[in-house]
Amino acid sequence: MRSTHNFNRDWLYAPLELTDTIPDAAFASVDLPHTNIELPYHNFDNGDYQFISTYRKHFTLPEPLNGRRLHLVFDGVMIAATVTVNGHRLDEHAGGYVPFAVDITDYVSETDENLITVHVDSTERPDIPPYGYVVDYLTFGGIYRDVKLRYLEPLYIEKIFVRTLDVLTAPRVEVDVWVKNQGSAPAGCVVNVGMDGAEEPDQREGVSVEPGESAKITLGLDPHGIQLWSLSDPVLYQLSAYLTQADDAPEFDLVTARFGFRSAEFKDDGFYLNGEKIQLIGLNRHQTYPYIGAAAPARLQRKDADILKDELGINIVRTSHYPQSPHFLDRCDEIGLLVFEEIPGWQFIGDNDWKALSSRDVEVMIERDRNHPSVILWGVRINESGDDQAFYTATNALAHSLDPTRQTGGVRFFLESQFLEDVFTFNDFSKGVREPVNTPHIITEFNGHMFPTKTFDQEERQIEHAERHALIQDLAFANPRVTGAIGWCAFDYNTHREFGSGDRICYHGVSDMFRLPKWAAFVYASQVDPSVRPVLQAFTLWTMGDRSEGGNDPLVVATNCDYIEVWVGEDNHLGRFEPDRAKYPHLPHAPITVVGGSQMGVWGRMYQDLRIIGYVNGQPVIEQMIAADGIPQKLELIADDPELNADGSDMTRLVFRITDVYGNRLPFATAAVAFDVEGAGSLVGENPFTLVGGQAAVYVRAGRNPGTLMITARSLTAYRHLQPVAVTIDVR
Ligand code: GAL
């Protein structure tokens, strides 16, 4: 029988290339996922993570082999890995964004302790995508995703592909099962597939496989009473594929896959999910985080999907510019968030060996992720590269052969680009929406470097940043030939010196690097139906003198309410204001422009608190107040999770900010905040750390032992009158 062991724990790590003769004392104890170096929030160099490091693990086999094969499965190592097992050096795996497995059976001892060494080359190697020229993101380094140890019978299920067909009329399932024979003689078995919880009997067929080969069997199921996977109700099913020696004999291998019934199609006039046209509204996501690079454990990966769906309200994310964590995609399946996934790269195409790696990335990405209902489109071009007819004809054909159920795209930034794929995926930096030449057409990036904006920028810039997002989304909604628009980007990110604001950050996010919102985030958040959640955010610091010439007129409010009522001070009711349809005729929920003239503050006069109430169907549903007195009143500390797993690598975010009396962050508050951590875990991040735009975050990592983790934050420099605050986390 197959069995899989978590292999994340008890590694030894040294940030240099060491041979097996060097004693363990030269290493530190670590658990995975692991970054080869923890970095500051910004102002570091990409050279800092570029070195070869050594990971080592001593282990005895957790169970006897009993004739089985033993595979070590890496979900992702940045950017190249060479595994050595008890002195036997295996071939290098190049490419940091795709999984790989090594068969270590022939080199392990069943009785004695074994030594695995992984040399990880995290230099920006020009022979491996995305490198070769400049790249606007950092790859970071280390064994930054999960590792598993897997026992497999010599005859085992190599992969499965679950396809749902005719989901709107007579839903069917078609399953490809590849059976691999790693034994030395021809072998046969019965391949069975069944849907968990379905009344439909399992289907089966016999197969025989030559040694070293794999054979594909396709089986069909006709389930009854299935529910569709949709954005509001993402129903998932589980399929089991298993091998038996004969009909009704006990299984000796079993693989499960989660899947959903949905149809997804880009047509010339729009994108259709389950036959219903929906406008795609989305953001690009980089997988990187402050301090830990890309080494975010499952909880943080899942949290990002939740932020995109629940806080930013979008319906599609592009995994720019590479395949992202399986945990992230799993969560997208669970919550109903569509995904456009693409291969690694950035503008540059290398030589034939480089292209071969890129084609390998197409293959591994699709084989890894084609059972995810959330994934609706494959990106088979290097982001924003020039045309290359032969290369892209091949990647496109490869994608279609591996997955005939999904359309392909390939992101380019010129309209004349050769259209070889199914969907014209186009980065539109025209400050408008260019008329599609080819359809189906989707805008895969806009804004970004056209208008970098920081959480501590002057008010007018922050407003314009938000309005630029609103404008392009409005134009995308307006044009029936544009299926949607995916903004650049969700979160600020660390980058190379050739990009960004000089401190190695691209401030292109609608949220900052901590995933905390700028005002532009509320343009997206406010597009959800108010029955899902009411949203109201005024784009003002409500100061008398931050804008040029002072005051706050006009006041822009992002909201999904029918209208708002505005007061300045207790008694001064400015009136009722409705969505600005003149400016944004097509957005589901246009921001509201409040023109209040002198009521909005006049330079040299007194002014008072701002109060806004949002109404839906005549009922007040949400209120925002902003204090005229912007002196810091509260230090807040919020943990995303009340509990962590005591596994040595689980992490959660700790947001801290300084607010006015009503809880609005004060973007120009610059206090340094110090953290005391007691108990069952440790802090990840800079300590003390200064606020960035009145807000920031650090992370905590659980230890190995259950217990309570208590974190206290106190303002060190300014604002000493603020009370320290504490949170506790239960580490289980
Ligand atoms: C695009 C590129 C993105 C990012 C963006 C900034 O050209 O595809 O990765 O660099 O520009 O606006």
Side-chain angles (χ1 to χ4, degrees), residues 240-292:
S240 298
Y242 56 98
L243 306 181
T244 53
Q245 291 301 353
D247 289 358
D248 300 319
E251 68 200 26
F252 66 86
D253 193 25
L254 165 71
V255 167
T256 61
R258 243 177 17 169
F259 70 102
F261 291 86
R262 56 112 184 99
S263 69
E265 193 183 356
F266 289 85
K267 297 187 187 172
D268 291 339
D269 70 336
F271 171 75
Y272 290 77
L273 186 69
N274 300 330
E276 191 189 318
K277 183 168 163 174
I278 55 170
Q279 178 76 12
L280 296 172
I281 174 166
L283 291 163
N284 285 273
R285 177 208 185 218
H286 267 306
Q287 68 173 8
T288 56
Y289 292 75
Y291 322 121
I292 54 170

Side-chain angles (χ1 to χ4, degrees), residues 386 541 595:
L541 306 175
V595 180

Side-chain angles (χ1 to χ4, degrees), residues 67-81:
R68 291 175 296 177
R69 307 298 302 184
L70 195 59
H71 289 195
L72 197 54
V73 185
F74 293 85
D75 279 352
V77 182
M78 194 64 76
I79 194 168

